[in-house]
Amino acid sequence: MNIVVLLKQVPDISNIPADAWNHETGTLKRAMLDNVLNPFDFHAITCACRLRDSLPGGARVVCLTMGIKTASEILLDAMSRGADEGILLTDPVFAGADTSATARTLALAIRKIERELFDGNREYLVVAGMQSVDGDTAQVPGQVSEALGVDLVAYVAGVDYGKSPAFRRITSSGLQAVQLTRYPAVLTMTDCTEPLYPSFARCRRVRTRPDAFRVWTAEDLNADAEAVGGKGSWTQVVRIFSPLQEGRNCRYARDAAELVSLMTDALQKTAKPASHDHPGTTSRPEKPAYSGPVLVYAERSQDGLAPVVYELLSEARGLAAVLGETVGAVLVGARSEVLSRELIARGADSVYYVVDSQAASNDSMALCSAVADVVNKYEPQIMLFGATPHGRELAPRVAYATASGLTADCTHLSIGDHGGKEAVLLQTRPALGGNIMATIVSKSCRTQMATVRPGVFVPAVHDAQRKGSVVEHKCAIRTGSLKVISADAPLPKTELVTAELIVTGGAGMHSVGNFERYLRPLAAALGERFSLRATVGASRRAVEHSYARREMQVGQTGQTVGPAMYVAIGVSGAVQHISAIQKSRVIVAINPDPKAPIFRTADVGIVGKAETVIPRMLEVLESKVHGE
Amino acid sequence: MANEVDILIVGAGPAGLAAAIKICEHAKASGRAVSVAVVDKSPKAGYHCLSGANFEVDCLDELVPGWRDEHSDFIRQVLGQKVARHDTYFLTRTRALHIPSPLVPGTSRRDRNCTISIADLAAWMADKATQLGAEVYYGFAAKEPVIDNGAIKGVVLRERGIDRDGNRKGNYLAPETVRAKVTILADGVCGPVSAKVIEVFELDRGRNPQVFSIGLKQLLKLPNRDHHGINKVLHTFGYPLKWNVFGGGFLYDMGAAEVAVGLVMGLDWRYYDLNPQQELELFKRHPLIAQALEGGEIVTAGAKMIPEGGFYSMPKLYAPGVLLAGDAAGMVNLLKLKGIHLAISSGMSAGEVAFRALLSGDISDEALCEYPRLLEDKGVFRELRTARNMRQCFTTPFGLLVGAPMTMVQGFIPLRLGIGDDRSSTKHVSIRRSYGAPFDRKTFAARSGTMHDENLLSHISIREDRECLECMEQIGGPCAKFCPAEVYSFRDDMSGIAISSTDCLHCRTCAIKCPKDNIDWQTPEGGFGPRFRHM
């Protein structure tokens, strides 16, 4: 078996020079950042090499990247770490490609690799990092698999190497182990390996070889210049701006009760209202550029609908109101009256459901064909997915299959005019690791698609009086070939990066005992109070003083967190810590030193010692829970 | 064989790269294929290089003939940064006294000086070396020399993939041995490989011990260029340093509305609570400096040690199979406050001698003793001798008071003046300062771009916890104060020292200044450490 590894050269967002910021516009001068290999791609290289080494009969690991000439540096790096060959796709016509045009180009190259390097042998895998740290879209691998018409195992969190390897993937409901029964297939890797190091000997062999890697141009791929690069793209960035809200202004509480109420207040204030509440989007367009309903993909959870669906519905209602259109929901899987009614009660005018047992089992190929068929029939002008693992796996496939522009992980949507077109969907999302915001529009397509970050929008309320229609959609379903070999297992623990509320202790906690005595109960109580998945973290200082385990450290080498609420207790707020938590929606500081820099970054704060403040907070939280 | 080269150079700074360039030129001229590899622990060209830097450019004429006509950003910058004015001031807390330049040693012929970024210089030189056929590999940390039959035969690269408990991780990479016919060590101040070679071959026998300074530097972006003055160089002594602390400050115009500001302090200070980073902040707030920096934003920060024992502290520069160059050999002219041109000159000479040794196959002391002879011919030693007793002048109990006037005549003292080491100078004496500049050490470290993976074994360890507690009691635990990145802090319960090795700037002051020699600083895995830009 052979392996193709997809690589991307990205700006190093873990090391942004202080002068790379343009203070007038608040944006980042990308040219001032170093170029590095996308961090997730190290895991793809490592997984590919380990697979090669564990499989009988050997394999070739071929690295593939698209970019300017200097991107060859990452091919050489990958080969120094163990990959066998490298191919650089470079051509002026490839420039400006969005994810779909990139995927189309990569798919062409993969087919050429199959023909020429693998002698037509289709028993191969395509391995990629789960997403790139500059774009964070996670769309390219999904769209490559759709372009190739093959299975995708997204978010691989572990591999059992062996003759028939098993891949443990992260799904919306937990960890699931699958095996492949059909090749080729695409894998995307989370940061789940110990990345291979470049050895001096390999490095030297690679770098002193005159023809270390191949260079392919559009002509080599027989690529249609209209279908690649900027011309072949279905989306376009129209605006880049600063993500910084006006500086945080700490509101100080006098006691624990006031602190809890200020925290509640801050959470409510920072929740994004749906678009229809935004001023300036109320007048109806006269000549809209798009037509058709606004559709929402109704992602199912084990016991009903995923919470994000309600957020999508409220957002969709707002957009539909501006456009004068209806809202539809697409539900796939087993028939369910309850869910259809719930969708209508939460804002859908129509529910389109596709009954299919294969699609119900998390088969993204089957789900894609079902949803794409609905899209092709009802021709929505907008379709929204939740940016959950499931939604981020499915949406790229559907978008590619229906030739729709797709924007990932949006945090703001609105209807506005752009480029002479009226009433287009302006999709805004963070990029470059949250360091800039980008507004994106779709182009040359019928449906504007977006995945929407969960927890950003206020969910639609249940209204039992609402009326709507339920339409069964019948279509042929294409099935995938993944063999599920173990049932969903819950994810091991609430990870810091996925937690919605983090209570972090710093050196000011003074002992391991205080971490256990104060922080865990506080995290549990706050999590319950605000209905957020809560966990306990530690500052680097606290870890170095052995008050907490290293796994708990917030802001490890380049990692950042962005929970809805971040509570820093006894953390002084060194710049390294601040830059790791800046994306948090609400930052709360509890510190005995009124001059501690953490208060400059906090929204809510109290000057006091953990040992006195926390017990009082727990009392307040307890009484409120009981009181309600 | 991929692990064998003709000539291996450790360190891709000016010295190592100058050697690589010279070797490639000689190889080309003689029509012989020679493999030259340079290894460096830094993640990228120039990231571990830091200097003022007020650079005497003439040495480039020999290294890269015709460099002045090159159309590159770097050369344009260098030529645009010719020093037009060089002032020296003596500072009191609030005042600045201009010192007429005839009284300042080493300031003549300033017309050949340019203010440059040594990081940019190293990147430019790496390009040159690569174009000529040298192989430059970043991210590889050399650990120790390979010694075979009494001769150096290459180096061992540090193993990788050891977790913080000392266990091998899944990606463990065993130490690799790179064998070479001749090895040039340009691994910088306190270079780990050169230190080992000096020890094994007793290259420091009969020399003064090496003494060091710590230099801290920041690069500031100014709202406009006029504050400080175009192409102006300013050196100070006096405030903020106490009269018995050797050193001084500098402020250089760097073009493009940037200035470099820094402070250098001899490590033989006696105060246990002297905080060099905060001393730099005091310097920056002196009226003379503050007005020049007004409105400036700190872009980069960093620190490095400077070997400043001078001529008499330099070790013997060769042993069978190996040559030492640059900072690793202690080549700094304290009179001029310069070392880059000496690093380049010594690198070129080392390259030339290494090439000859390669051709003849003779790597014995008898063959390599050509190296100091060449340095003598080229005037490198002559220059170093003019400053030979410079540092010693300041080691009298009277510090600056006797030291400053003595520098005027030190070059005429025919004897070798002795010098003590830096470690034993710290006493339980407080400097009695209330530091507290908001630009603190953690922020300083952050601005250096430094990074180490905290899931890997810490490259800094304490030999005996007990010694630290003793030191705290007897001397006051100076490491908690002198480290510019605040890597060391005493635990709340005073049970020992906590180490934030992630923030380490690789200056290695701790390895020299710890009164108990209780800090074990090992070269970390390649690819980590500071990321100095334009420093």
Side-chain angles (χ1 to χ4, degrees):
Chain A
M1 196 177 65
N2 294 308
I3 300 159
V4 178
V5 184
L6 304 183
L7 303 177
K8 187 180 183 192
Q9 193 176 41
V10 298
D12 185 359
I13 55 165
S14 72
N15 179 33
I16 300 177
D19 52 344
W21 292 100
N22 181 337
H23 290 299
E24 266 125 61
T25 58
T27 52
L28 199 55
K29 299 174 208 159
R30 184 175 166 158
M32 291 199 60
L33 273 57
D34 279 345
N35 286 316
V36 294
L37 177 62
N38 178 38
F40 287 106
D41 298 358
F42 289 113
H43 302 283
I45 295 166
T46 305
C47 170
C49 293
R50 295 240 187 269
L51 278 169
R52 172 194 62 197
D53 300 340
S54 67
L55 288 168
R60 274 159 97 181
V61 173
V62 180
C63 295
L64 177 63
T65 190
M66 183 170 102
I68 55 171
K69 288 244 159 59
T70 54
S72 59
E73 195 51 38
I74 60 170
L75 293 175
L76 297 176
D77 184 37
M79 287 188 276
S80 308
R81 290 170 194 272
D84 300 303
E85 277 160 87
I87 299 168
L88 171 66
L89 305 179
T90 188
D91 198 306
V93 304
F94 293 155
D98 75 346
T99 61
S100 61
T102 303
R104 196 169 305 115
T105 315
L106 291 173
L108 284 174
I110 292 167
R111 290 211 191 88
K112 185 176 162 79
I113 293 170
E114 177 189 313
R115 283 193 308 274
E116 296 177 10
L117 273 69
F118 300 162
D119 300 321
N121 180 0
R122 281 183 59 82
E123 198 173 306
Y124 65 92
L125 284 171
V126 177
V127 187
M130 63 177 256
Q131 64 196 42
S132 64
V133 297
D134 56 343
D136 282 334
T137 69
Q139 284 174 192
V140 170
Q143 298 190 315
V144 166
S145 59
E146 189 59 30
L148 295 171
V150 303
D151 279 300
L152 167 67
V153 186
Y155 305 110
V156 171
V159 182
D160 299 324
Y161 298 99
K163 212 170 133 215
S164 45
F167 303 98
R168 287 187 300 283
R169 62 170 172 176
I170 297 171
T171 68
S172 287
S173 50
L175 271 183
Q176 188 186 56
V178 296
Q179 277 179 329
L180 300 168
T181 62
R182 202 160 65 194
Y183 291 93
V186 179
L187 306 177
T188 77
M189 305 299 297
T190 62
D191 50 352
C192 63
T193 71
E194 299 287 1
L196 290 170
Y197 286 108
S199 78
F200 180 80
R202 286 199 71 103
C203 201
R204 196 157 178 256
R205 269 198 294 269
V206 167
R207 282 172 199 266
T208 50
R209 217 166 79 186
D211 53 343
F213 57 91
R214 292 163 213 251
V215 179
W216 287 352
T217 61
E219 200 187 327
D220 294 317
L221 298 183
N222 280 326
D224 173 3
E226 298 296 312
V228 297
K231 282 186 178 170
S233 296
W234 296 328
T235 57
Q236 185 188 355
V237 177
V238 296
R239 184 177 165 231
I240 300 276
F241 59 100
S242 164
L244 300 174
Q245 311 104 332
E246 315 80 78
R248 295 176 193 264
N249 219 337
C250 189
R251 291 160 74 199
Y252 288 91
R254 274 155 307 191
D255 56 40
E258 192 185 354
L259 181 67
V260 172
S261 83
L262 283 178
M263 285 163 75
T264 316
D265 200 40
L267 263 187
Q268 277 164 1
K269 265 205 200 141
T270 52
K272 278 249 174 79
S275 302
H276 54 276
D277 293 340
H278 292 172
T281 56
T282 43
S283 67
R284 262 187 208 183
E286 296 190 353
K287 266 185 272 157
Y290 292 87
S291 64
V294 179
L295 286 193
V296 160
Y297 172 71
E299 178 181 340
R300 302 175 82 145
S301 66
Q302 267 147 338
D303 48 357
L305 292 166
V308 70
V309 176
Y310 306 138
E311 296 161 21
L312 297 181
L313 280 168
S314 86
E315 188 62 14
R317 278 248 64 90
L319 298 171
V322 177
L323 295 165
E325 294 284 355
T326 59
V327 172
V330 185
L331 185 64
V332 186
R335 192 185 304 271
S336 168
E337 278 300 310
V338 181
L339 296 188
S340 300
R341 270 207 307 279
E342 180 68 15
L343 286 167
I344 291 168
R346 298 269 188 170
D349 300 307
S350 320
V351 176
Y352 307 101
Y353 72 84
V354 185
V355 180
D356 185 77
S357 58
Q358 188 68 29
S361 69
N362 221 344
D363 175 341
S364 70
M365 280 184 88
L367 276 165
C368 170
S369 72
V371 177
D373 214 71
V374 173
V375 170
N376 285 333
K377 177 157 184 201
Y378 296 96
E379 303 190 342
Q381 62 172 297
I382 291 170
M383 178 152 192
L384 305 178
F385 298 79
T388 59
H390 178 79
R392 295 186 80 178
E393 184 180 345
L394 179 63
R397 294 199 80 130
V398 174
Y400 197 87
T402 59
S404 309
L406 171 67
T407 303
D409 214 20
C410 294
T411 53
H412 182 81
L413 296 171
S414 65
I415 302 293
D417 300 344
H418 175 75
K421 287 184 180 170
E422 214 178 320
V424 300
L425 182 64
L426 301 174
Q427 307 150 57
T428 300
R429 63 182 304 265
L432 277 178
N435 290 299
I436 58 167
M437 299 297 288
T439 300
I440 294 165
V441 297
S442 303
K443 59 168 194 173
S444 18
C445 57
R446 198 181 55 211
T447 305
Q448 312 165 82
M449 292 192 178
T451 64
V452 174
R453 183 177 286 189
V456 173
F457 296 107
V458 176
V461 289
H462 183 94
D463 174 5
Q465 306 301 312
R466 284 200 87 248
K467 294 275 181 294
S469 61
V470 179
V471 183
E472 178 164 357
H473 179 80
K474 288 212 165 71
C475 60
I477 302 279
R478 169 191 63 170
T479 56
S481 65
L482 296 183
K483 190 168 108 192
V484 176
I485 56 170
S486 81
D488 292 1
L491 287 172
K493 57 179 186 304
T494 310
E495 300 280 348
L496 280 170
V497 278
T498 56
E500 296 161 326
L501 189 152
I502 301 175
V503 175
T504 293
M509 294 308 293
H510 302 300
S511 74
V512 189
N514 284 353
F515 259 77
E516 296 302 319
R517 197 171 317 132
Y518 298 115
L519 299 192
R520 288 198 191 281
L522 182 65
L526 287 172
E528 194 178 332
R529 178 87 180 78
F530 299 124
S531 311
L532 296 170
R533 268 182 293 123
T535 191
V536 175
S539 75
R540 201 175 73 199
R541 202 86 173 168
V543 172
E544 277 154 6
H545 283 250
S546 313
Y547 303 151
R549 285 172 298 112
R550 183 71 68 168
E551 291 75 34
M552 292 164 63
Q553 184 188 320
V554 171
Q556 281 207 24
T557 40
Q559 251 184 39
T560 58
V561 296
M565 180 173 272
Y566 187 86
V567 186
I569 304 174
V571 178
S572 65
V575 58
Q576 289 89 341
H577 193 85
I578 299 297
S579 61
I581 65 167
Q582 233 157 17
K583 282 188 287 172
S584 309
R585 224 169 84 198
V586 176
I587 295 176
V588 183
I590 302 174
N591 202 303
D593 174 10
K595 279 196 276 183
I598 187 76
F599 287 114
R600 293 203 292 268
T601 318
D603 302 285
V604 177
I606 186 166
V607 177
K609 276 164 81 174
E611 294 90 328
T612 48
V613 176
I614 296 176
R616 282 286 303 129
M617 282 177 80
L618 287 172
E619 278 171 37
V620 173
L621 289 165
E622 289 261 305
S623 67
K624 283 221 172 145
V625 169
H626 290 303
E628 271 161 22
Chain B
M1 281 289 290
N3 277 49
E4 278 178 27
V5 295
D6 289 327
I7 301 176
L8 177 68
I9 299 165
V10 180
L17 292 167
I21 290 170
K22 264 292 152 226
I23 295 163
C24 290
E25 275 173 1
H26 281 299
K28 212 168 168 188
S30 69
R32 221 193 114 146
V34 173
S35 57
V36 185
V38 186
V39 292
D40 196 289
K41 68 181 167 39
S42 77
K44 209 181 133 182
Y47 271 17
H48 286 187
C49 292
L50 185 147
S51 182
N54 184 5
F55 171 49
E56 214 165 87
V57 292
D58 287 356
C59 59
L60 290 183
D61 292 333
E62 192 194 337
L63 183 70
V64 182
W67 65 275
R68 288 169 207 263
D69 303 322
E70 191 187 289
H71 295 286
S72 68
D73 287 349
F74 175 70
I75 297 303
R76 240 193 316 276
Q77 228 172 39
V78 172
L79 295 177
Q81 289 297 118
K82 268 200 183 143
V83 174
R85 207 190 142 101
H86 187 154
D87 291 313
T88 307
Y89 286 91
F90 174 77
L91 303 185
T92 66
R93 216 169 68 79
T94 50
R95 306 192 41 195
L97 181 70
H98 190 260
I99 310 287
S101 63
L103 290 178
V104 184
T107 51
S108 56
R109 295 159 84 192
R110 61 172 177 264
D111 50 314
R112 292 163 171 193
N113 297 341
C114 296
T115 52
I116 60 151
S117 141
I118 191 181
D120 292 353
L121 173 69
W124 177 79
M125 288 176 72
D127 271 348
K128 288 277 163 282
T130 314
Q131 282 161 19
L132 288 166
E135 306 160 33
V136 187
Y137 299 108
Y138 293 99
F140 291 97
K143 189 181 172 194
E144 56 194 23
V146 177
I147 306 176
D148 250 8
N149 288 326
I152 302 294
K153 294 285 188 182
V155 300
V156 180
L157 300 178
R158 194 190 185 286
E159 71 274 39
R160 308 181 85 173
I162 306 236
D163 72 14
R164 53 180 186 259
D165 302 317
N167 304 312
R168 290 177 184 188
K169 302 208 303 173
N171 56 357
Y172 174 75
L173 186 70
E176 278 184 283
T177 300
V178 184
R179 300 189 76 88
K181 299 192 179 88
V182 188
T183 305
I184 297 175
L185 298 178
D187 49 351
V189 56
C190 283
V193 186
S194 42
K196 185 83 186 170
V197 168
I198 290 169
E199 183 195 323
V200 171
F201 292 91
E202 297 179 0
L203 301 183
D204 54 354
R205 197 167 51 194
R207 317 280 162 134
N208 278 350
Q210 186 58 273
V211 293
F212 302 89
S213 272
I214 179 174
L216 292 93
K217 177 183 165 184
Q218 291 175 2
L219 206 59
L220 280 88
K221 191 142 202 111
L222 300 178
N224 58 57
R225 209 181 158 178
D226 299 325
H227 278 349
H228 169 53
I230 289 164
N231 294 355
K232 209 172 126 185
V233 156
L234 190 151
H235 284 127
T236 72
F237 60 108
Y239 185 83
L241 302 181
K242 289 264 156 115
W243 60 275
N244 54 4
V245 176
F246 173 75
F250 63 86
L251 180 65
Y252 299 158
D253 172 46
M254 299 300 290
E258 284 185 346
V259 287
V261 59
L263 192 64
V264 177
M265 283 145 276
L267 284 191
D268 57 348
W269 68 68
R270 52 207 303 254
Y271 306 108
Y272 76 90
D273 54 354
L274 190 152
N275 178 333
Q277 188 270 337
Q278 288 290 314
E279 293 280 317
L280 172 58
E281 291 306 306
L282 290 176
F283 176 59
K284 282 167 62 190
R285 278 184 280 168
H286 185 278
L288 178 75
I289 307 302
Q291 49 131 22
L293 300 183
E294 201 188 325
E297 185 197 4
I298 300 159
V299 175
T300 329
K304 147 189 212 287
M305 273 203 300
I306 304 162
E308 53 184 35
F311 188 72
Y312 289 129
S313 290
M314 278 166 53
K316 187 182 147 198
L317 300 177
Y318 58 95
V322 70
L323 301 154
L324 273 60
D327 268 5
M331 293 196 186
V332 171
N333 177 346
L334 206 58
L335 201 57
K336 289 187 183 170
L337 310 167
K338 285 183 182 53
I340 302 175
H341 66 293
L342 298 174
I344 290 176
S345 293
S346 65
M348 286 193 288
S349 302
E352 199 169 325
V353 173
F355 180 75
R356 277 190 234 157
L358 180 73
L359 286 194
S360 66
D362 185 359
I363 55 162
S364 66
D365 266 11
E366 290 69 42
L368 300 184
C369 69
E370 270 303 299
Y371 178 39
R373 222 168 287 160
L374 206 54
L375 291 174
E376 190 69 75
D377 290 351
K378 287 190 172 174
V380 172
F381 281 172
R382 192 176 54 235
E383 181 186 332
L384 281 163
R385 269 194 299 266
T386 60
R388 63 183 176 268
N389 283 320
M390 180 75 182
R391 184 65 178 89
Q392 290 90 321
C393 297
F394 293 92
T395 53
T396 67
F398 309 103
L400 194 63
L401 305 179
V402 169
M406 224 168 123
T407 58
M408 302 297 293
V409 296
Q410 59 81 25
F412 303 107
I413 302 172
L415 310 164
R416 168 162 72 96
L417 297 184
I419 199 159
D421 71 348
D422 295 320
R423 197 181 299 294
S424 42
S425 59
T426 318
K427 304 283 180 282
H428 200 161
V429 180
S430 173
I431 191 164
R432 274 183 252 149
R433 281 245 218 255
S434 56
Y435 296 128
F439 189 81
D440 60 4
R441 293 189 281 169
K442 284 292 171 205
T443 320
F444 189 86
R447 283 282 184 274
S448 76
T450 192
M451 195 266 286
H452 297 82
D453 186 343
E454 47 266 271
N455 293 309
L456 295 175
L457 187 66
S458 166
H459 66 282
I460 303 171
S461 54
I462 297 295
R463 294 198 173 96
E464 288 285 342
D465 282 335
R466 192 172 33 84
E467 294 273 333
C468 286
L469 300 176
E470 245 178 65
C471 168
M472 183 66 200
E473 221 163 87
Q474 298 164 353
I475 305 169
C479 63
K481 294 292 188 304
F482 66 60
C483 173
E486 206 179 351
V487 166
Y488 306 94
S489 58
F490 279 88
R491 295 181 193 282
D492 290 342
D493 56 3
M494 289 295 152
S495 63
I497 289 248
I499 301 175
S500 311
S501 52
T502 315
D503 284 336
C504 176
L505 302 177
H506 292 200
C507 76
R508 273 165 283 181
T509 302
C510 50
I512 298 299
K513 189 68 177 157
C514 169
K516 303 272 182 184
D517 192 7
N518 198 30
I519 294 172
D520 187 12
W521 196 99
Q522 299 275 342
T523 312
E525 271 193 14
F528 293 115
R531 291 177 283 194
F532 297 142
R533 287 164 187 270
H534 313 304
M535 286 299 259

